[in-house]
Amino acid sequence: MSKKRPVAVALAGALCLVTTACADATDTTDAAGGASAAAARSGYPVTLENCGTPQKFTEAPGRVVVMNGASVAEVSTLLALGLGDSIVANQQSYGMSEVEGRAKAVKGLPDGGVKLNDAYDVPREAMIGLRPDLVLSTTSYGFDEKNGFATREQLKGVGAHTYVSPQGCDQDTSKMTIADSYTLLRDMGRVFDRSDRAEQLIAASEKNIAGVAAKVKGEKRPDVMVLFSNMAMGGNDFSSVVAKGIYNDILAKAGGSNAFASASKTSFADLSKEKVAATDVDALVVIGYNDPNPAAYARKLLKEFPQWPAAKNNTYVALSDSMYLGPSNDLAVAKIAGMLHPDAF
């Protein structure tokens, strides 16, 4: 069931460590009063207090590198804000998307011609050679020197800003919620002077989610299994089963609950086939990470566990980027709610 091990290692490194969370943003002003009128009108300077490392921007970055991190949160956020032209190297891709045209847009971005390391990401020398002025990483893993990456201090030395996404400072995504997707949008909106666009996207998402939540309010909450298709991150048969994180917030808004929420203190549980078989699963959400057919994997699981209510009722949905940190969580909420509570729509 495993994909190549480096991908699993990268996913585990980016998503699964057990520590605390991070990242808030604060406005600053130029105390010396030296900012130009044009800069003041555009909102610069902007300072983000990111993982204890202040990042001061006096203009919009023009050479952005998006690290892999087993995510599409950062690249999707930039594209949603209309900032694709600022990206000189992108290593993120899920191969599919709930947003029409998003996967094609991601695929069309430059990759910088970089030879990636064993974690499928940009090593230090290659990163410096790209001459970035902003490097985005899902977690602080992407700036860890022992993994062969350029550190934030080294990048600062060559004139590059760095940004670790919400809940990624200590590489723990177990506390992540939809609100963190909005924080990422707001931060990038401020950095690139696209705050109006960011707020429009957030308002639309909040409205969509509130509409779905209202329709499923009071309904019985089915127990849902969420996992990545054909992905192994541990020693058991089911090591990519979601236990905590933004996934649970999405499920709750959609009128469901995580059948394995108590199976681990971290984002993912590493479960035996026996444990999975003994759990009543009412519905299945399979997340495709560069898997061309996650729906086929879902059907395989339903056949393997015919005792599940999900199998008896053929209740599943295959999703991708909308289930993770990023600008399209409202699409996941709507699709899952439609699966769990079809009569409400």
Side-chain angles (χ1 to χ4, degrees):
M1 157 176 153
S2 302
K3 282 188 179 286
K4 294 180 181 178
R5 180 161 178 76
V7 178
V9 171
L11 188 64
L15 305 181
C16 303
L17 297 187
V18 190
T19 40
T20 54
C22 76
D24 64 337
T26 55
D27 288 309
T28 63
T29 57
D30 189 338
S36 68
R41 283 195 301 273
S42 65
Y44 295 106
V46 166
T47 298
L48 301 183
E49 186 68 31
N50 183 247
C51 302
T53 304
Q55 299 289 310
K56 185 175 181 178
F57 298 84
T58 57
E59 61 182 357
R63 294 186 60 82
V64 183
V65 175
V66 184
M67 299 190 74
N68 184 349
S71 175
V72 285
E74 292 74 29
V75 71
S76 295
T77 296
L78 293 182
L79 288 174
L81 292 171
L83 297 167
D85 289 345
S86 300
I87 300 172
V88 295
N90 168 61
Q91 304 304 333
Q92 294 187 343
S93 173
Y94 269 16
M96 58 189 296
S97 174
E98 277 71 72
V99 179
E100 185 177 356
R102 175 68 51 77
K104 182 178 180 181
V106 170
K107 187 177 181 180
L109 292 170
D111 62 10
V114 172
K115 182 179 180 181
L116 303 179
N117 61 16
D118 287 344
Y120 284 77
D121 223 326
V122 185
R124 177 173 50 252
E125 294 78 9
M127 178 65 77
I128 300 301
L130 288 168
R131 298 181 294 109
D133 56 9
L134 175 62
V135 179
L136 303 179
S137 179
T138 303
T139 71
S140 57
Y141 177 88
F143 299 120
D144 194 331
E145 188 169 27
K146 72 175 183 288
N147 294 316
F149 297 123
T151 66
R152 301 188 81 174
E153 193 63 28
Q154 288 166 346
L155 287 164
K156 181 181 179 181
V158 296
H161 296 92
T162 50
Y163 180 87
V164 177
S165 289
Q167 305 296 345
C169 295
D170 294 308
Q171 304 183 49
D172 176 29
T173 60
S174 65
K175 300 177 181 67
M176 188 181 288
T177 68
I178 294 171
D180 292 307
S181 293
Y182 299 154
T183 296
L184 177 57
L185 269 168
R186 283 195 172 100
D187 284 354
M188 292 301 100
R190 293 178 59 227
V191 166
F192 288 91
D193 195 23
R194 297 287 176 92
S195 289
D196 288 349
R197 175 61 177 159
E199 293 304 327
Q200 289 171 1
L201 292 169
I202 292 167
S205 175
E206 289 177 330
K207 181 179 179 181
N208 291 341
I209 291 174
V212 170
K215 290 181 179 179
V216 301
K217 185 177 181 180
E219 298 284 344
K220 181 181 178 182
R221 292 181 173 270
D223 290 323
V224 184
M225 180 182 189
V226 182
L227 78 168
F228 283 79
S229 62
N230 292 306
M231 178 67 70
M233 294 188 291
N236 284 297
D237 292 326
F238 293 91
S239 56
S240 66
V241 177
V242 168
K244 292 178 172 58
I246 194 170
Y247 321 93
N248 290 2
D249 192 19
I250 290 170
L251 288 179
K253 299 291 195 301
S257 61
N258 189 339
F260 297 95
S262 62
S264 175
K265 293 181 180 179
T266 63
S267 297
F268 292 91
D270 187 5
L271 304 176
S272 67
K273 183 175 179 179
E274 291 73 22
K275 170 66 175 176
V276 170
T279 304
D280 283 334
V281 174
D282 297 317
L284 192 61
V285 175
V286 171
I287 305 171
Y289 175 68
N290 285 319
D291 182 347
N293 197 350
Y297 180 73
R299 291 190 293 269
K300 174 187 170 185
L301 283 184
L302 295 180
K303 187 175 181 180
E304 186 175 358
F305 299 100
Q307 73 276 17
W308 284 349
K312 295 174 183 177
N313 299 313
N314 197 37
T315 308
Y316 74 90
V317 66
L319 297 172
S320 58
D321 57 345
S322 64
M323 277 299 286
Y324 191 57
L325 182 73
S328 53
N329 296 148
D330 57 319
L331 300 182
V333 171
K335 287 180 178 293
I336 294 171
M339 170 186 66
L340 299 178
H341 307 285
D343 294 341
F345 296 90

